[in-house]
Amino acid sequence: MRAPWFETVARRWHHGRRVGRYWAVRSPEIRAALRAATPDSVLLVGNSHAEYIGRPDLGGRPSLNIAVGGSTAADCARHLATLHRTVLHRADRHVPVRCAASVLIIGTNDIMGWRHPERPRSADRFAAEVRRILGFLEAWSAQVFVAAVPPVGAWATGRDPEAVAVFSERLAALCAERGHGFFDPFAALRAGQGGRIEGRIEGRIGGRIGGCIGERVGGLAGSGLYRDGVHMADYTRLAAEIARLVVIDPRPPGPPAARPATPNRAAPLRVLRAAWAGRP
């Protein structure tokens, strides 16, 4: 029987290779998206929950999807660092403008059981990597919004539903510390809630400024998930919920910015084609 530490190392290596290969596939499209940025663009960042949304219209603003399915917070931070180094700091290849906002969805791959999310140091590492992510997003966009960690199905294996609230609390605390908006577009999917996430929202969410986060997010989902117990059954509805909850500051006066091509809205079939078991 293999020692637990060896299994963890092996799983990390295997997961890292899978995400690395997928990053190589997504990278050209992501770089092109960044170069197409306009002042009213919204960046979608994170794991497959962000990627599968596609490029919807968010409150009248076009979205640029630079998410990579399978990403942990560490993976996401590493990808953004690569983009910052190889795209944004080159005179011939850079983001032409600062975007209106960024929306981050992260955490589902950080609560895998073999990553031991119940250990305080795991949550500490997660928070440290998210802090790195926020540093990049603050430079690339005027506002930053961070979603609570999505719930998982009771029938799903491999992820710790108890860690959903713990990791969401870390996200809420970082948003309060840095003046960003924390919100929960997955609230309708959660089977139950209890307790509270302590902290304050400094960004504008749902038309409100300030106030405590509210009820502690539930880690288990009721209905609305794909049969793997991780992915959403309908990402179009998730995009609509994000557009409803994320309140972006009005555009500054001046001539309208050039708009990219009509967004490619996500379809449920994309989830079935692209998702591998347990990879959000």
Side-chain angles (χ1 to χ4, degrees):
M1 184 176 183
R2 292 184 299 178
W5 69 266
F6 181 79
E7 181 179 356
T8 299
V9 170
R11 284 176 179 264
R12 286 183 184 275
W13 178 84
H14 181 64
H15 181 89
R17 286 200 54 172
R18 287 197 305 178
V19 176
R21 286 196 297 265
Y22 192 53
W23 158 253
V25 172
R26 287 276 291 142
S27 181
E29 181 180 350
I30 288 172
R31 294 168 191 272
L34 285 174
R35 295 182 200 116
T38 63
D40 62 346
S41 297
V42 178
L43 294 176
L44 294 174
V45 186
N47 53 34
S48 67
H49 291 303
E51 181 189 345
Y52 293 164
I53 292 172
R55 293 184 290 118
D57 184 294
L58 295 177
R61 297 175 184 269
S63 54
L64 304 176
N65 200 312
I66 63 172
V68 178
S71 294
T72 61
D75 294 323
C76 184
R78 184 166 53 252
H79 298 156
L80 297 183
T82 298
L83 292 171
H84 189 73
R85 182 178 64 253
T86 63
V87 177
L88 304 186
H89 280 179
R90 293 180 57 171
D92 58 334
R93 297 200 293 180
H94 60 88
V95 173
V97 295
R98 195 170 187 229
C99 295
S102 295
V103 176
L104 173 66
I105 305 177
I106 202 70
T108 300
N109 295 300
D110 295 272
I111 62 170
M112 292 179 175
W114 55 266
R115 294 186 185 276
H116 304 290
E118 75 283 356
R119 297 175 180 173
R121 65 173 177 269
S122 296
D124 291 342
R125 283 195 297 265
F126 173 73
E129 296 295 349
V130 172
R131 192 183 298 275
R132 290 181 60 205
I133 294 171
L134 294 177
F136 292 116
L137 299 186
E138 289 162 1
W140 300 356
S141 56
Q143 290 178 269
V144 179
F145 299 89
V146 181
V149 179
V152 296
W155 63 94
T157 59
R159 288 178 172 82
D160 181 3
E162 294 294 327
V164 169
V166 175
F167 280 54
S168 292
E169 287 170 359
R170 292 301 187 100
L171 294 174
L174 285 170
C175 287
E177 171 189 314
R178 302 173 79 99
H180 302 319
F182 177 85
F183 71 115
D184 186 6
F186 308 99
L189 301 176
R190 301 188 191 275
Q193 296 179 321
R196 299 181 69 83
I197 295 179
E198 298 299 331
R200 297 190 63 81
I201 306 175
E202 301 298 337
R204 296 178 60 202
I205 297 293
R208 295 180 295 107
I209 301 179
C212 63
I213 300 299
E215 293 300 314
R216 191 178 195 185
V217 298
L220 289 174
S223 60
L225 295 187
Y226 184 58
R227 63 175 176 264
D228 65 1
V230 177
H231 296 92
M232 307 296 111
D234 186 352
Y235 278 91
T236 302
R237 290 182 62 183
L238 177 59
E241 185 68 359
I242 290 174
R244 184 181 73 84
L245 293 175
V246 170
V247 180
I248 302 173
D249 289 337
R251 299 180 183 87
R259 298 290 292 273
T262 302
N264 174 28
R265 294 185 180 278
L269 286 179
R270 181 177 179 182
V271 178
L272 304 182
R273 289 197 305 266
W276 65 62
R279 185 210 79 164

